């Protein structure tokens, strides 16, 4: 920030000089606190006040005391939605075409928000607001999320005064990868002691509010609270899991009908709305096998428990604001970032990384572990059928530009200004409208420059007019909104929507578009393309205009595994084949750990064992990964392929003096061999029948294991002795073969037919 020019005068002495003090920034008089709560992967119907029978009493009280917007839209994916929400611009225009894990070499996918698009936190902090971020960030390129940064895209560099949460797209809820301000920390407690990250996040959000109100009662605050719920892994305390036992045994068809009827009853959808047929690939519940039904029902129980547990702790935060006397003048938003997730596939998954490895779930094996679902030893996501029900009455899912991907619950609560409490608003709006709305309501102009950088114009349309008591029937002020995600496209204009479901490598010019009169067809059930070809053509043409205006091009249909394998990653990790670590170290997140998922590698550690046990390298968690450790004086390597363990123990113990210990992992396709080494000599080997392409979303520990990869030890399992340099030698990337493999993965994960 530029220092203001001195406004006094300076003479030879104080008596001959005139002092001057810069004016401290102050928000407009009466400016409210702002709280934006973002849920993750929660579908249109899943808040109880949007139709479900799930327990969300605290979201319900926000809705009862405020407004529900039932025609609110997002981008179909998490990072892009968050970028829109914080900047007031469309996601392609701010370098966030997809999740921040990728930089494809084009302006629309840099994985970071440019300085020409200041965040709401940057704008409000400059006016005197306190700014606090708690929870999921996922707006920094993943190669920048290591303990050495760089930090210029972390929350504190993008306008937030404090941060407590996680930088990645997901984290284990019982053993999270936590960052406090600018540094990694260990979770403050263990799952066995009752720890769950949602409670921890809310504790910090409450603490920030108490500190702020106590120390700066004359200044408002902005808090961005971004829960991990309900992104996979679906994890909750046991008491919440047990509450839902047997509750979903009737299946997704029954619940979809039940929730649809309730949506009509409470006015979330018009009474003449049609429930579309099942999404492609979703079987009728009655056609599932007994194992498939048992597995799917238990997965839905975990989701419901996760949502209710999060709602409970959100209630603690609301109560804390009320106790501080702040709730009445807090403009409180609660929303989801995209529709319900399709990433559990047709059956659901016990371990979500199976999806990203292109692997179907083995349901017969999974049902033997039903009681682990929702706990620390699972990383679950539910099947398409439950995601479909969660998006009732909308088609398709997260990642798609049909309404099931982009239409989401949105609640506004502001007792000081909203009088139509419990009201419903049907005006079309988009997540890019949030920042313009908040700036208008606060009374702050969008700045032309921030920190000397000329700003892109905001493209969002303020929703503030719809907050008025008599605004229920007022037409929307928004005229046009495009959508694009992984080649799926859509455009809404003046009450009509054209949308295209894109299959990888399909011809953009010849694939089928659908047309819906969105104002009269809330569920996109009646395709009018054949009746109105000219209107459809004009909307498609308008889509290309908006694409050019907002930096959408070039179109890029790589998704999931294809992007992970073929996008041009930046940072040291992508270019290096040798990594040397000097423990003790902070946790290294998955994207800055050595890229061992699809390559042969060698680990060598210089060590002096003074005890008999301890971890040398641990990558992943109980849900998948590998660990090199010492147990009872012997070297052990365990490869965890989604709870199938392959283990080898050294044929001789480690010496008590200085030595080298390591493992050589060779690969041949999906299988491999692990060979243990002590002082350069092989001392045990084992064939690994199946290996992952993407190891785990959990990072790497050296000299300890915070997240246990196997249950032969208990965390933190610190190495008993002196651990010197630990070296990884990793084979070069197999990128030339990646596109073919990635497309095969897409056929599995997207259910293409």
């Amino acid at each position: 920030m530029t220092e203001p020019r001195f406004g006094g005068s300076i003479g030879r002495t104080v008596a001959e000089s005139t002092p001057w003090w810069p004016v401290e920034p102050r928000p407009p008089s009466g400016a409210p606190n702002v709280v934006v709560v973002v849920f993750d992967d929660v579908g249109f119907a899943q808040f109880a006040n949007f139709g479900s029978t799930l327990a969300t009493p605290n979201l319900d009280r926000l809705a009862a005391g405020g407004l529900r917007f039932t025609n609110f839209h997002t981008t179909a994916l998490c990072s892009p939605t968050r970028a829109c929400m914080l900047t007031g611009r469309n996601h392609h225009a701010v370098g966030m075409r997809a999740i921040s894990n990728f930089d494809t070499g084009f302006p629309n996918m840099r994985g970071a928000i440019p300085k020409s698009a200041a965040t709401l936190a940057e704008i409000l902090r400059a006016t005197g607001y306190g700014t606090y971020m708690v929870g999921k960030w996922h707006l920094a390129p993943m190669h920048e999320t290591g303990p050495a940064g760089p930090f210029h895209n972390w929350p504190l560099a993008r306008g937030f005064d404090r941060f407590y949460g996680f930088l990645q797209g997901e984290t284990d809820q019982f053993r999270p990868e936590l960052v406090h301000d600018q540094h990694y920390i260990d979770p403050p407690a263990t799952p066995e002691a009752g720890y769950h990250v949602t409670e921890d996040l809310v504790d910090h959000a409450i603490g920030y509010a108490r500190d702020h109100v106590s120390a700066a009662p004359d200044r408002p605050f902005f808090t961005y609270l971004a829960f991990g719920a309900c992104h996979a892994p679906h994890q909750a305390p046991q008491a919440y899991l047990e509450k839902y036992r047997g509750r979903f045994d009737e299946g997704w068809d029954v619940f979809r009908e039940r929730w649809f009827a309730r949506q009509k009853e409470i006015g979330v959808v018009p009474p003449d709305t049609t429930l579309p047929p099942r999404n492609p690939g979703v079987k009728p519940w009655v056609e599932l096998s007994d194992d498939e039904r048992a597995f799917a029902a238990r997965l839905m129980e975990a989701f419901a428990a996760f949502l209710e547990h999060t709602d409970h702790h959100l209630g603690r935060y609301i109560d804390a604001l009320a106790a501080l006397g702040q709730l009445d003048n807090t403009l409180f938003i609660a929303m989801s970032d995209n529709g319900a997730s399709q990433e559990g596939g047709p059956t659901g998954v016990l371990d979500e990384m199976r999806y990203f490895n292109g692997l179907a779930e083995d349901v017969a094996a999974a049902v033997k572990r039903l009681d682990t679902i929702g706990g620390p030893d699972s990383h679950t996501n539910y099947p398409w059928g439950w995601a479909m029900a969660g998006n009732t009455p909308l088609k398709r899912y997260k990642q798609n530009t049909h309404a099931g991907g982009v239409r989401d619950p949105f609640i506004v609560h502001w007792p000081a200004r909203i009088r139509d409490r419990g009201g419903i608003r049907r005006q079309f709006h988009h997540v890019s409208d949030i920042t313009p709305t908040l700036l208008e309501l606060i009374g702050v102009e969008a700045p032309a420059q921030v920190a000397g950088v000329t700003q892109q114009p905001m493209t969002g349309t303020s929703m503030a007019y719809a907050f008025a008591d008599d605004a229920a029937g007022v037409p929307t002020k928004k005229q046009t909104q495009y959508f694009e995600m992984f080649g799926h496209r859509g455009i809404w204009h003046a009450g009509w929507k054209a949308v295209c479901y894109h299959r990888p490598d399909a011809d953009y010019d010849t694939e089928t578009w659908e047309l819906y009169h969105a104002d009269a067809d809330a569920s996109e059930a009646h395709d009018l393309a054949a009746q109105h070809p000219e209107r459809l053509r004009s909307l498609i043409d308008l889509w290309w205009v908006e694409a050019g205006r907002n930096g959408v091009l070039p179109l890029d249909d790589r998704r999931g595994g294809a992007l992970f394998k073929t996008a041009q990653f930046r940072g040291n990790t992508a270019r290096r084949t040798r990594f040397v670590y000097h423990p003790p170290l902070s946790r290294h997140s998955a994207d800055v750990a050595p890229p061992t998922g699809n390559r042969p590698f060698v680990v060598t550690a210089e060590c002096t064992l003074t005890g008999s046990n301890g971890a040398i390298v641990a990558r992943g968690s109980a849900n998948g990964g590998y660990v090199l450790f010492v147990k009872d004086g012997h070297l052990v390597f365990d490869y965890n392929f989604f709870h199938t363990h392959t283990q080898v123990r050294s044929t001789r113990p480690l010496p008590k003096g200085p030595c080298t210990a390591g493992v050589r992992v060779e690969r041949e396709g999906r299988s491999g061999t692990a060979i243990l080494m002590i002082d350069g000599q092989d001392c045990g080997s084992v064939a690994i029948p199946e290996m992952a392409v993407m190891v785990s979303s959990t990072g790497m520990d050296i000299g300890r294991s915070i997240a246990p990869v196997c249950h032969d030890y208990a965390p933190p399992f610190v190495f008993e002795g002196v651990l010197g340099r630990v070296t990884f030698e990793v084979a070069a990337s197999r990128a030339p073969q990646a596109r073919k493999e990635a497309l095969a993965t897409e056929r599995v994960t997207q259910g293409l037919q």
Side-chain angles (χ1 to χ4, degrees):
M1 185 177 294
T2 305
E3 288 292 329
R5 184 177 179 181
F6 180 66
S9 64
I10 299 176
R12 293 184 306 159
T13 67
V14 169
E16 298 170 350
S17 305
T18 304
W20 174 85
W21 292 269
V23 177
E24 291 186 2
R26 290 284 176 183
S29 177
N33 304 314
V34 174
V35 173
V36 177
V37 175
V38 177
F39 283 76
D40 205 325
D41 289 4
V42 172
F44 180 75
Q46 285 173 326
F47 292 171
N49 51 78
F50 272 75
S52 83
T53 51
L54 307 180
T56 58
N58 294 293
L59 286 162
D60 295 349
R61 65 167 158 153
L62 290 177
L67 300 172
R68 281 169 291 171
F69 283 74
T70 62
N71 203 7
F72 176 81
H73 294 73
T74 58
T75 69
L77 205 61
C78 51
S79 298
T81 288
R82 293 154 203 269
C84 288
M85 184 272 289
L86 285 171
T87 68
R89 286 99 172 169
N90 285 310
H91 55 298
H92 297 84
V94 296
M96 205 67 69
R97 181 184 70 77
I99 55 176
S100 67
N101 303 59
F102 314 121
D103 180 346
T104 62
F106 297 103
N108 64 11
M109 189 62 253
R110 291 302 188 190
I113 298 170
K115 294 295 185 182
S116 60
T119 70
L120 180 62
E122 289 172 298
I123 296 169
L124 293 184
R125 184 165 68 179
T127 72
Y129 268 74
T131 55
Y132 307 102
M133 163 78 205
V134 178
K136 171 178 169 175
W137 180 237
H138 210 200
L139 290 173
M142 289 296 101
H143 68 266
E144 295 181 1
T145 62
F151 303 104
H152 58 280
N153 289 308
W154 290 31
L156 266 60
R158 296 313 310 256
F160 290 99
D161 295 323
R162 301 298 308 275
F163 170 63
Y164 187 88
F166 53 100
L167 300 174
Q168 293 75 28
E170 64 174 42
T171 196
D172 189 292
Q173 300 294 297
F174 290 107
R175 295 186 177 96
E177 295 186 346
L178 286 174
V179 171
H180 198 171
D181 292 337
Q182 298 275 84
H183 63 280
Y184 278 86
I185 62 169
D186 293 341
T190 65
E192 294 75 18
Y195 179 83
H196 190 285
V197 72
T198 298
E199 182 175 1
D200 192 14
L201 296 177
V202 170
D203 285 347
H204 279 79
I206 292 171
Y208 290 156
R210 286 174 176 160
D211 286 349
H212 183 95
V213 171
S214 299
D218 56 336
R219 295 168 51 214
F221 60 82
F222 165 45
T223 295
Y224 172 31
L225 173 54
F227 289 119
C230 285
H231 195 290
H234 298 160
Q235 295 171 310
Q238 192 64 30
Y240 284 85
L241 296 170
E242 290 176 357
K243 176 179 177 179
Y244 283 95
R245 289 290 179 258
R247 292 271 293 273
F248 301 103
D249 290 354
E250 294 171 288
W252 49 63
D253 295 315
V254 168
F255 277 88
R256 187 175 184 232
E257 293 280 358
R258 185 174 295 157
W259 293 351
F260 182 51
R262 191 164 184 271
Q263 288 176 322
K264 289 183 175 182
E265 178 185 342
I266 64 178
V268 168
V269 299
D272 59 351
T273 303
T274 300
L275 185 65
R278 294 180 195 87
N279 289 334
V282 177
K283 292 181 180 180
W285 183 261
V286 295
E287 293 183 9
L288 271 58
S289 70
D290 290 345
D291 281 354
E292 287 172 330
R293 286 195 294 267
F295 184 47
R298 188 62 65 92
L299 292 172
M300 183 59 197
E301 292 170 16
F303 176 92
F306 194 15
L307 180 61
E308 182 177 347
H309 176 251
T310 306
D311 178 89
H312 167 75
H313 289 288
L314 175 62
R316 290 199 303 118
Y317 181 65
I318 296 168
D319 290 343
L321 294 183
L324 291 167
Q326 300 298 310
L327 187 59
D328 280 357
N329 198 32
T330 293
L331 201 171
F332 202 114
I333 290 172
M335 57 175 283
S336 177
D337 61 354
N338 46 244
S341 171
Q342 63 177 295
E343 290 151 11
T347 63
V349 286
L350 191 63
D351 300 290
E352 187 203 24
M353 292 305 294
R354 293 185 71 93
Y355 169 87
F356 293 105
N357 277 272
L359 299 171
E361 183 61 81
D362 182 349
V363 175
V367 293
K368 296 175 182 177
R369 301 186 63 245
L370 287 185
D371 289 342
T372 69
I373 290 174
D377 286 351
S378 70
H379 196 110
T380 64
N381 203 344
Y382 55 15
W384 291 339
W386 286 120
M388 176 187 68
N391 286 332
T392 300
L394 311 175
K395 292 180 179 177
R396 298 197 182 271
Y397 319 95
K398 170 187 176 180
Q399 301 186 17
N400 304 143
T401 52
H402 282 76
V406 298
R407 191 165 159 198
D408 292 288
F410 186 88
I411 301 168
V412 180
H413 180 273
W414 189 12
R417 287 282 296 273
I418 292 175
R419 298 285 180 258
D420 184 19
R421 296 177 183 177
I424 288 178
R425 299 292 184 265
R426 303 194 190 280
Q427 292 90 347
F428 179 97
H429 276 288
H430 185 259
V431 64
S432 60
D433 302 339
I434 291 176
T435 284
T437 302
L438 294 173
L439 295 182
E440 178 182 342
L441 292 169
I442 293 167
V444 172
E445 293 284 338
Q449 283 197 340
V450 174
V453 178
T454 300
Q455 297 294 289
Q456 303 176 33
M458 290 190 184
T459 52
T461 302
S462 174
M463 305 161 64
Y465 69 93
F467 288 23
D469 297 354
D470 56 354
V474 174
T476 182
K477 291 188 176 182
K478 198 171 186 73
Q479 291 302 304
T480 304
Q481 180 62 49
Y482 80 90
F483 302 94
E484 190 279 333
M485 188 58 61
F486 303 132
H488 304 303
R489 285 157 288 160
I491 187 161
W492 180 94
H493 176 71
W496 288 77
K497 181 181 176 183
V499 62
C500 175
Y501 179 87
H502 175 77
R503 288 169 169 77
D505 283 354
D507 184 352
Y508 292 111
D509 292 326
T510 60
E511 59 190 347
T512 301
W513 284 71
E514 302 159 25
L515 176 68
Y516 299 101
H517 188 191
D519 279 358
D521 181 9
S523 59
E524 297 177 1
H526 306 289
D527 182 4
L528 303 177
Q531 292 94 314
H532 300 283
E534 292 183 3
R535 184 184 293 274
L536 176 61
R537 182 70 259 168
S538 69
L539 285 173
I540 295 171
D541 291 343
L542 181 59
W543 185 91
W544 286 101
V545 171
E546 291 297 303
R549 179 180 296 143
N550 288 279
V552 176
L553 307 179
L555 285 169
D556 186 346
D557 63 1
R558 293 174 292 176
R559 317 174 200 174
L563 267 176
F564 277 110
K565 294 173 182 175
T566 62
Q568 291 297 310
F569 284 74
R570 298 180 66 197
N572 289 334
T573 302
R575 296 192 295 265
R576 291 162 60 192
T577 58
R578 179 179 170 83
F579 301 77
V580 180
Y581 297 98
H582 304 272
L585 296 170
S586 300
R587 166 75 63 88
H588 278 53
S589 58
D591 292 88
V592 299
T596 56
N598 199 26
R599 312 183 196 179
F601 63 95
V602 179
V603 179
T604 307
E606 300 172 359
C607 56
T608 302
L609 189 65
T610 58
S612 301
N613 302 289
I616 297 175
V617 171
R619 171 75 169 87
S621 70
N623 301 298
Y626 57 83
V627 58
L628 179 66
F629 62 100
V630 180
K631 184 72 178 290
D632 299 328
H634 283 255
L635 189 62
V636 182
F637 180 76
D638 186 292
Y639 191 89
N640 179 352
F641 184 77
F642 306 117
H643 299 279
T644 297
H645 292 266
T646 302
Q647 191 174 103
V648 57
R649 184 175 185 266
S650 63
T651 55
R652 60 187 175 91
L654 286 170
K656 286 299 182 182
C659 70
T660 61
V663 64
R664 186 169 71 252
V665 178
E666 300 171 350
R667 290 192 68 133
E668 183 60 41
R670 286 273 194 172
S671 61
T673 304
I675 303 100
L676 293 175
M677 303 175 294
I678 297 176
D679 288 329
Q681 300 298 310
D682 294 355
C683 58
S685 67
V686 67
I688 306 173
E690 196 164 12
M691 302 182 73
V693 174
M694 294 180 63
V695 177
S696 172
S697 61
T698 304
M700 178 182 72
D701 287 320
I702 292 180
R704 60 185 187 153
S705 180
I706 298 299
V709 177
C710 67
H711 290 297
D712 292 334
Y713 60 87
F717 203 46
V718 175
F719 183 78
E720 296 174 350
V722 178
L723 194 58
R725 290 182 301 178
V726 177
T727 303
F728 278 74
E729 301 280 356
V730 182
S733 171
R734 298 172 58 249
Q737 303 176 33
R739 179 61 174 167
K740 181 177 179 181
E741 293 181 3
L743 279 174
T745 298
E746 289 304 316
R747 299 285 163 181
V748 175
T749 58
Q750 298 296 317
L752 301 177
Q753 300 172 10

